[in-house]
Amino acid sequence: MAGINKGKQWEQKVKEDFSKLPGATIDRIYDVTTGHKSISNISDHIGYKYPNIFYIEAKSIKGNTFPLTNLTQYEKLTAKVGIPGVRAGVFLWFIEHQRVAYVPISTVTKLKEDGKKSVNIKMLDTDEYNIKVIPSITK
């Protein structure tokens, strides 16, 4: 029997929660993880809430760190930085810590410039980087 895919569940949860925002809409981008390496999406979801469009990647992590190399959409997301009304970033779910954070793609760039290789759970408790802790209740 196949195990539960927490990553796919997390992507669905992000979509459901974004949809609850008044006046918001969100679409799941077709998942091309079926072996087509030449095809890649900009993000898992594209959402809109006036006046902003959001390119949202949803990642779940077991352990204390999210390796930046796991963000394969980085280049495509950084192309959106600086466009008025456009927001691009990653919702990280630290499964074992039951914590959720939003990391703007510009923050990922800053982390890389500073020589960081990952987002560590400890970064959620500091103001050093623009990482937003999302209040959440895990089931």
Side-chain angles (χ1 to χ4, degrees):
M1 183 165 137
I4 295 171
N5 187 331
K6 290 195 182 274
K8 295 299 176 197
Q9 288 179 335
W10 173 235
E11 290 171 4
Q12 182 62 31
K13 180 68 172 148
V14 167
K15 181 178 180 180
E16 289 171 5
D17 287 349
F18 192 95
S19 296
K20 292 177 185 176
L21 296 170
T25 184
I26 186 168
D27 292 306
R28 172 72 169 99
I29 305 303
Y30 178 74
D31 196 348
V32 291
T33 59
T34 56
H36 300 286
K37 295 188 181 218
S38 62
I39 302 170
S40 66
N41 291 326
I42 188 168
S43 60
D44 290 325
H45 301 89
I46 297 176
Y48 178 77
K49 174 145 177 49
Y50 182 82
N52 295 307
I53 189 167
F54 297 86
Y55 292 88
I56 302 168
E57 186 62 24
K59 298 289 189 184
S60 57
I61 311 103
K62 288 185 179 179
N64 297 331
T65 60
F66 171 73
L68 298 178
T69 56
N70 287 5
L71 184 58
T72 57
Q73 303 81 353
Y74 174 74
E75 294 298 327
K76 290 183 178 185
L77 290 170
T78 56
K80 301 300 180 183
V81 173
I83 300 171
V86 177
R87 304 288 176 256
V90 185
F91 279 101
L92 297 177
W93 174 28
F94 289 88
I95 298 169
E96 295 168 350
H97 297 277
Q98 298 183 6
R99 296 192 71 191
V100 176
Y102 175 73
V103 183
I105 201 66
S106 56
T107 297
V108 174
T109 298
K110 175 75 171 129
L111 288 164
K112 288 180 172 233
E113 288 170 352
D114 289 353
K116 305 292 184 189
K117 304 285 186 207
S118 63
V119 176
N120 188 288
I121 188 72
K122 294 176 185 176
M123 292 176 174
L124 276 59
D125 297 319
T126 70
D127 293 329
E128 185 176 358
Y129 292 97
N130 184 26
I131 299 173
K132 306 294 184 200
V133 176
I134 308 298
S136 59
I137 298 170
T138 55
K139 296 180 181 179

Short mmCIF file of all heavy atoms in Angstrom, two decimals, residues 31-76:
data_model
loop_
_atom_site.label_atom_id
_atom_site.label_comp_id
_atom_site.label_asym_id
_atom_site.label_seq_id
_atom_site.Cartn_x
_atom_site.Cartn_y
_atom_site.Cartn_z
N ASP A 31 0.60 19.36 -12.58
CA ASP A 31 1.83 18.79 -12.06
C ASP A 31 2.50 17.92 -13.13
O ASP A 31 1.91 16.95 -13.59
CB ASP A 31 1.51 17.95 -10.82
CG ASP A 31 2.74 17.65 -9.99
OD1 ASP A 31 3.86 17.88 -10.47
OD2 ASP A 31 2.57 17.18 -8.86
N VAL A 32 3.70 18.27 -13.50
CA VAL A 32 4.41 17.55 -14.55
C VAL A 32 5.50 16.63 -13.98
O VAL A 32 6.53 16.42 -14.60
CB VAL A 32 5.03 18.51 -15.58
CG1 VAL A 32 3.96 19.19 -16.39
CG2 VAL A 32 5.94 19.52 -14.91
N THR A 33 5.26 16.03 -12.83
CA THR A 33 6.27 15.16 -12.21
C THR A 33 6.22 13.75 -12.76
O THR A 33 6.68 12.83 -12.13
CB THR A 33 6.08 15.12 -10.68
OG1 THR A 33 4.75 14.64 -10.41
CG2 THR A 33 6.29 16.46 -10.05
N THR A 34 5.70 13.58 -13.96
CA THR A 34 5.57 12.24 -14.55
C THR A 34 6.76 11.89 -15.44
O THR A 34 6.62 11.11 -16.36
CB THR A 34 4.26 12.16 -15.36
OG1 THR A 34 4.27 13.21 -16.34
CG2 THR A 34 3.05 12.28 -14.47
N GLY A 35 7.90 12.48 -15.21
CA GLY A 35 9.10 12.12 -15.95
C GLY A 35 9.45 13.03 -17.10
O GLY A 35 10.40 12.77 -17.82
N HIS A 36 8.71 14.10 -17.30
CA HIS A 36 9.01 15.05 -18.37
C HIS A 36 9.97 16.11 -17.85
O HIS A 36 9.57 17.20 -17.47
CB HIS A 36 7.72 15.69 -18.90
CG HIS A 36 6.75 14.69 -19.44
ND1 HIS A 36 6.95 14.06 -20.65
CD2 HIS A 36 5.60 14.20 -18.94
CE1 HIS A 36 5.95 13.23 -20.87
NE2 HIS A 36 5.12 13.28 -19.85
N LYS A 37 11.25 15.79 -17.86
CA LYS A 37 12.24 16.70 -17.29
C LYS A 37 12.39 18.00 -18.06
O LYS A 37 12.86 18.98 -17.53
CB LYS A 37 13.59 15.99 -17.16
CG LYS A 37 13.53 14.85 -16.18
CD LYS A 37 14.88 14.28 -15.92
CE LYS A 37 14.74 13.12 -14.96
NZ LYS A 37 15.73 12.98 -14.00
N SER A 38 12.00 18.01 -19.31
CA SER A 38 12.15 19.23 -20.11
C SER A 38 11.02 20.23 -19.84
O SER A 38 11.06 21.35 -20.30
CB SER A 38 12.19 18.88 -21.59
OG SER A 38 10.97 18.27 -21.99
N ILE A 39 10.01 19.79 -19.09
CA ILE A 39 8.87 20.65 -18.79
C ILE A 39 8.90 20.97 -17.30
O ILE A 39 9.03 20.09 -16.47
CB ILE A 39 7.53 19.95 -19.12
CG1 ILE A 39 7.49 19.56 -20.59
CG2 ILE A 39 6.36 20.83 -18.76
CD1 ILE A 39 6.32 18.66 -20.95
N SER A 40 8.78 22.26 -16.98
CA SER A 40 8.69 22.63 -15.57
C SER A 40 7.79 23.85 -15.43
O SER A 40 7.74 24.70 -16.32
CB SER A 40 10.07 22.92 -14.99
OG SER A 40 10.63 24.06 -15.59
N ASN A 41 7.08 23.89 -14.34
CA ASN A 41 6.17 25.00 -14.05
C ASN A 41 6.88 26.07 -13.25
O ASN A 41 7.86 25.81 -12.57
CB ASN A 41 4.96 24.50 -13.27
CG ASN A 41 4.07 23.61 -14.10
OD1 ASN A 41 3.94 23.82 -15.30
ND2 ASN A 41 3.48 22.62 -13.48
N ILE A 42 6.31 27.26 -13.27
CA ILE A 42 6.85 28.35 -12.47
C ILE A 42 6.59 28.12 -10.99
O ILE A 42 7.39 28.49 -10.14
CB ILE A 42 6.28 29.71 -12.93
CG1 ILE A 42 7.01 30.83 -12.20
CG2 ILE A 42 4.78 29.78 -12.74
CD1 ILE A 42 6.74 32.20 -12.76
N SER A 43 5.44 27.50 -10.66
CA SER A 43 5.09 27.27 -9.26
C SER A 43 3.96 26.25 -9.19
O SER A 43 3.42 25.83 -10.21
CB SER A 43 4.64 28.59 -8.61
OG SER A 43 3.50 29.12 -9.29
N ASP A 44 3.62 25.86 -7.97
CA ASP A 44 2.50 24.93 -7.77
C ASP A 44 1.16 25.61 -8.02
O ASP A 44 0.23 24.98 -8.53
CB ASP A 44 2.50 24.38 -6.34
CG ASP A 44 3.66 23.44 -6.07
OD1 ASP A 44 4.04 22.70 -6.99
OD2 ASP A 44 4.18 23.45 -4.94
N HIS A 45 1.06 26.87 -7.60
CA HIS A 45 -0.21 27.59 -7.69
C HIS A 45 0.01 29.01 -8.21
O HIS A 45 1.08 29.59 -8.01
CB HIS A 45 -0.86 27.74 -6.29
CG HIS A 45 -1.14 26.44 -5.62
ND1 HIS A 45 -0.23 25.81 -4.82
CD2 HIS A 45 -2.25 25.67 -5.62
CE1 HIS A 45 -0.76 24.70 -4.35
NE2 HIS A 45 -1.99 24.59 -4.82
N ILE A 46 -1.03 29.54 -8.82
CA ILE A 46 -1.09 30.96 -9.12
C ILE A 46 -2.39 31.46 -8.50
O ILE A 46 -3.47 30.94 -8.80
CB ILE A 46 -1.06 31.25 -10.64
CG1 ILE A 46 0.26 30.75 -11.23
CG2 ILE A 46 -1.23 32.75 -10.89
CD1 ILE A 46 0.37 30.90 -12.74
N GLY A 47 -2.25 32.42 -7.59
CA GLY A 47 -3.41 32.96 -6.90
C GLY A 47 -3.54 34.45 -7.16
O GLY A 47 -2.58 35.11 -7.56
N TYR A 48 -4.75 34.94 -6.93
CA TYR A 48 -4.98 36.37 -7.11
C TYR A 48 -5.88 36.87 -5.99
O TYR A 48 -6.89 36.25 -5.65
CB TYR A 48 -5.66 36.66 -8.45
CG TYR A 48 -5.95 38.13 -8.64
CD1 TYR A 48 -4.93 39.01 -8.99
CD2 TYR A 48 -7.22 38.63 -8.42
CE1 TYR A 48 -5.19 40.37 -9.14
CE2 TYR A 48 -7.48 39.99 -8.58
CZ TYR A 48 -6.46 40.85 -8.93
OH TYR A 48 -6.71 42.20 -9.06
N LYS A 49 -5.47 37.96 -5.40
CA LYS A 49 -6.29 38.71 -4.46
C LYS A 49 -5.94 40.16 -4.70
O LYS A 49 -4.80 40.56 -4.54
CB LYS A 49 -6.01 38.32 -3.02
CG LYS A 49 -6.76 39.22 -2.04
CD LYS A 49 -7.21 38.48 -0.83
CE LYS A 49 -7.90 39.36 0.18
NZ LYS A 49 -8.94 40.23 -0.28
N TYR A 50 -6.93 40.91 -5.14
CA TYR A 50 -6.70 42.30 -5.51
C TYR A 50 -5.89 43.02 -4.45
O TYR A 50 -6.19 42.89 -3.27
CB TYR A 50 -8.05 43.02 -5.71
CG TYR A 50 -7.89 44.46 -6.13
CD1 TYR A 50 -7.66 44.79 -7.45
CD2 TYR A 50 -7.95 45.48 -5.19
CE1 TYR A 50 -7.50 46.10 -7.84
CE2 TYR A 50 -7.79 46.80 -5.57
CZ TYR A 50 -7.56 47.10 -6.89
OH TYR A 50 -7.39 48.40 -7.27
N PRO A 51 -4.83 43.68 -4.82
CA PRO A 51 -4.34 44.00 -6.16
C PRO A 51 -3.13 43.16 -6.59
O PRO A 51 -2.36 43.58 -7.44
CB PRO A 51 -3.94 45.46 -6.01
CG PRO A 51 -3.37 45.51 -4.62
CD PRO A 51 -4.22 44.55 -3.82
N ASN A 52 -2.97 41.97 -5.99
CA ASN A 52 -1.75 41.20 -6.24
C ASN A 52 -2.01 39.82 -6.85
O ASN A 52 -3.01 39.18 -6.52
CB ASN A 52 -0.97 40.99 -4.93
CG ASN A 52 -0.47 42.29 -4.35
OD1 ASN A 52 0.20 43.06 -5.04
ND2 ASN A 52 -0.78 42.55 -3.10
N ILE A 53 -1.07 39.39 -7.67
CA ILE A 53 -1.04 38.02 -8.16
C ILE A 53 0.10 37.32 -7.41
O ILE A 53 1.14 37.93 -7.14
CB ILE A 53 -0.85 37.94 -9.69
CG1 ILE A 53 -1.05 36.51 -10.18
CG2 ILE A 53 0.48 38.52 -10.13
CD1 ILE A 53 -1.19 36.40 -11.69
N PHE A 54 -0.13 36.07 -7.05
CA PHE A 54 0.82 35.31 -6.24
C PHE A 54 1.26 34.05 -6.98
O PHE A 54 0.42 33.26 -7.42
CB PHE A 54 0.19 34.89 -4.91
CG PHE A 54 -0.20 36.03 -4.04
CD1 PHE A 54 -1.44 36.65 -4.19
CD2 PHE A 54 0.65 36.50 -3.05
CE1 PHE A 54 -1.81 37.71 -3.39
CE2 PHE A 54 0.28 37.56 -2.24
CZ PHE A 54 -0.95 38.17 -2.41
N TYR A 55 2.56 33.86 -7.10
CA TYR A 55 3.14 32.62 -7.60
C TYR A 55 3.62 31.88 -6.36
O TYR A 55 4.55 32.31 -5.69
CB TYR A 55 4.28 32.90 -8.57
CG TYR A 55 3.80 33.53 -9.85
CD1 TYR A 55 3.67 34.92 -9.95
CD2 TYR A 55 3.44 32.74 -10.94
CE1 TYR A 55 3.20 35.49 -11.12
CE2 TYR A 55 2.98 33.32 -12.11
CZ TYR A 55 2.86 34.69 -12.19
OH TYR A 55 2.39 35.26 -13.35
N ILE A 56 2.95 30.77 -6.06
CA ILE A 56 3.17 30.09 -4.78
C ILE A 56 3.71 28.68 -5.01
O ILE A 56 3.08 27.86 -5.68
CB ILE A 56 1.85 29.98 -3.99
CG1 ILE A 56 1.26 31.38 -3.74
CG2 ILE A 56 2.06 29.22 -2.69
CD1 ILE A 56 -0.16 31.34 -3.23
N GLU A 57 4.84 28.42 -4.42
CA GLU A 57 5.39 27.07 -4.38
C GLU A 57 5.18 26.54 -2.97
O GLU A 57 5.40 27.27 -1.99
CB GLU A 57 6.88 27.11 -4.74
CG GLU A 57 7.52 25.76 -4.86
CD GLU A 57 6.93 24.89 -5.95
OE1 GLU A 57 6.35 25.40 -6.93
OE2 GLU A 57 7.06 23.65 -5.82
N ALA A 58 4.71 25.32 -2.85
CA ALA A 58 4.45 24.70 -1.54
C ALA A 58 5.43 23.55 -1.34
O ALA A 58 5.49 22.63 -2.16
CB ALA A 58 3.01 24.20 -1.47
N LYS A 59 6.19 23.63 -0.26
CA LYS A 59 7.17 22.58 0.03
C LYS A 59 6.98 22.09 1.47
O LYS A 59 6.75 22.90 2.38
CB LYS A 59 8.61 23.11 -0.12
CG LYS A 59 8.97 23.59 -1.51
CD LYS A 59 9.11 22.45 -2.47
CE LYS A 59 9.68 22.92 -3.80
NZ LYS A 59 9.73 21.84 -4.78
N SER A 60 7.10 20.79 1.67
CA SER A 60 7.06 20.21 3.01
C SER A 60 8.42 19.60 3.31
O SER A 60 9.08 19.07 2.41
CB SER A 60 5.94 19.17 3.12
OG SER A 60 6.10 18.16 2.15
N ILE A 61 8.81 19.68 4.57
CA ILE A 61 10.15 19.25 4.96
C ILE A 61 10.06 18.43 6.23
O ILE A 61 9.39 18.82 7.19
CB ILE A 61 11.06 20.46 5.29
CG1 ILE A 61 11.01 21.50 4.20
CG2 ILE A 61 12.48 20.03 5.57
CD1 ILE A 61 10.17 22.67 4.59
N LYS A 62 10.74 17.29 6.23
CA LYS A 62 10.96 16.56 7.48
C LYS A 62 12.34 16.99 7.95
O LYS A 62 13.26 17.10 7.16
CB LYS A 62 10.92 15.05 7.24
CG LYS A 62 9.53 14.54 6.97
CD LYS A 62 9.51 13.04 6.87
CE LYS A 62 8.10 12.55 6.62
NZ LYS A 62 8.03 11.10 6.48
N GLY A 63 12.46 17.26 9.22
CA GLY A 63 13.74 17.70 9.74
C GLY A 63 13.79 19.20 9.97
O GLY A 63 12.76 19.87 9.99
N ASN A 64 15.01 19.72 10.12
CA ASN A 64 15.22 21.11 10.51
C ASN A 64 15.51 22.07 9.36
O ASN A 64 15.48 23.28 9.56
CB ASN A 64 16.40 21.21 11.49
CG ASN A 64 16.12 20.47 12.77
OD1 ASN A 64 14.98 20.34 13.19
ND2 ASN A 64 17.16 19.96 13.40
N THR A 65 15.83 21.55 8.18
CA THR A 65 16.27 22.43 7.11
C THR A 65 15.60 22.10 5.78
O THR A 65 15.32 20.95 5.47
CB THR A 65 17.80 22.36 6.90
OG1 THR A 65 18.16 21.03 6.57
CG2 THR A 65 18.55 22.82 8.13
N PHE A 66 15.39 23.17 5.01
CA PHE A 66 14.93 23.03 3.63
C PHE A 66 16.09 23.44 2.73
O PHE A 66 16.45 24.62 2.68
CB PHE A 66 13.71 23.93 3.37
CG PHE A 66 13.34 23.98 1.91
CD1 PHE A 66 12.74 22.89 1.30
CD2 PHE A 66 13.62 25.10 1.16
CE1 PHE A 66 12.42 22.92 -0.05
CE2 PHE A 66 13.30 25.15 -0.19
CZ PHE A 66 12.70 24.05 -0.80
N PRO A 67 16.70 22.49 2.02
CA PRO A 67 17.81 22.83 1.13
C PRO A 67 17.33 23.71 -0.02
O PRO A 67 16.35 23.39 -0.68
CB PRO A 67 18.28 21.47 0.61
CG PRO A 67 17.69 20.45 1.54
CD PRO A 67 16.43 21.06 2.06
N LEU A 68 18.01 24.80 -0.26
CA LEU A 68 17.63 25.71 -1.34
C LEU A 68 17.73 25.04 -2.71
O LEU A 68 17.03 25.43 -3.64
CB LEU A 68 18.47 26.98 -1.29
CG LEU A 68 18.31 27.82 0.00
CD1 LEU A 68 19.23 29.04 -0.04
CD2 LEU A 68 16.86 28.22 0.21
N THR A 69 18.55 24.01 -2.81
CA THR A 69 18.66 23.28 -4.08
C THR A 69 17.35 22.54 -4.41
O THR A 69 17.13 22.18 -5.56
CB THR A 69 19.82 22.26 -4.06
OG1 THR A 69 19.64 21.39 -2.94
CG2 THR A 69 21.16 22.98 -3.97
N ASN A 70 16.49 22.34 -3.42
CA ASN A 70 15.20 21.67 -3.65
C ASN A 70 14.18 22.62 -4.28
O ASN A 70 13.10 22.18 -4.65
CB ASN A 70 14.64 21.11 -2.35
CG ASN A 70 15.39 19.88 -1.87
OD1 ASN A 70 16.39 19.49 -2.45
ND2 ASN A 70 14.91 19.29 -0.80
N LEU A 71 14.51 23.88 -4.36
CA LEU A 71 13.61 24.84 -4.98
C LEU A 71 13.97 24.94 -6.47
O LEU A 71 14.63 25.87 -6.92
CB LEU A 71 13.70 26.21 -4.29
CG LEU A 71 12.74 27.27 -4.79
CD1 LEU A 71 11.29 26.82 -4.66
CD2 LEU A 71 12.95 28.57 -4.02
N THR A 72 13.53 23.98 -7.23
CA THR A 72 13.89 23.90 -8.64
C THR A 72 13.24 25.01 -9.47
O THR A 72 13.67 25.27 -10.59
CB THR A 72 13.52 22.53 -9.23
OG1 THR A 72 12.11 22.31 -9.03
CG2 THR A 72 14.30 21.42 -8.55
N GLN A 73 12.26 25.68 -8.91
CA GLN A 73 11.56 26.76 -9.60
C GLN A 73 12.22 28.12 -9.37
O GLN A 73 11.71 29.14 -9.80
CB GLN A 73 10.10 26.84 -9.13
CG GLN A 73 9.32 25.57 -9.32
CD GLN A 73 9.57 24.54 -8.21
OE1 GLN A 73 10.42 24.69 -7.34
NE2 GLN A 73 8.84 23.46 -8.25
N TYR A 74 13.35 28.15 -8.70
CA TYR A 74 13.98 29.40 -8.28
C TYR A 74 14.16 30.40 -9.43
O TYR A 74 13.74 31.55 -9.32
CB TYR A 74 15.34 29.10 -7.62
CG TYR A 74 16.12 30.34 -7.29
CD1 TYR A 74 15.73 31.15 -6.21
CD2 TYR A 74 17.21 30.73 -8.04
CE1 TYR A 74 16.44 32.30 -5.90
CE2 TYR A 74 17.92 31.88 -7.74
CZ TYR A 74 17.53 32.66 -6.67
OH TYR A 74 18.21 33.80 -6.37
N GLU A 75 14.75 29.98 -10.51
CA GLU A 75 15.02 30.91 -11.62
C GLU A 75 13.74 31.52 -12.18
O GLU A 75 13.67 32.72 -12.45
CB GLU A 75 15.80 30.21 -12.74
CG GLU A 75 17.20 29.78 -12.36
CD GLU A 75 18.12 30.93 -11.96
OE1 GLU A 75 17.98 32.03 -12.53
OE2 GLU A 75 18.97 30.71 -11.09
N LYS A 76 12.72 30.69 -12.36
CA LYS A 76 11.46 31.18 -12.90
C LYS A 76 10.77 32.14 -11.93
O LYS A 76 10.19 33.14 -12.33
CB LYS A 76 10.53 30.02 -13.25
CG LYS A 76 11.02 29.25 -14.45
CD LYS A 76 10.07 28.15 -14.83
CE LYS A 76 10.60 27.44 -16.07
NZ LYS A 76 9.69 26.44 -16.57
#
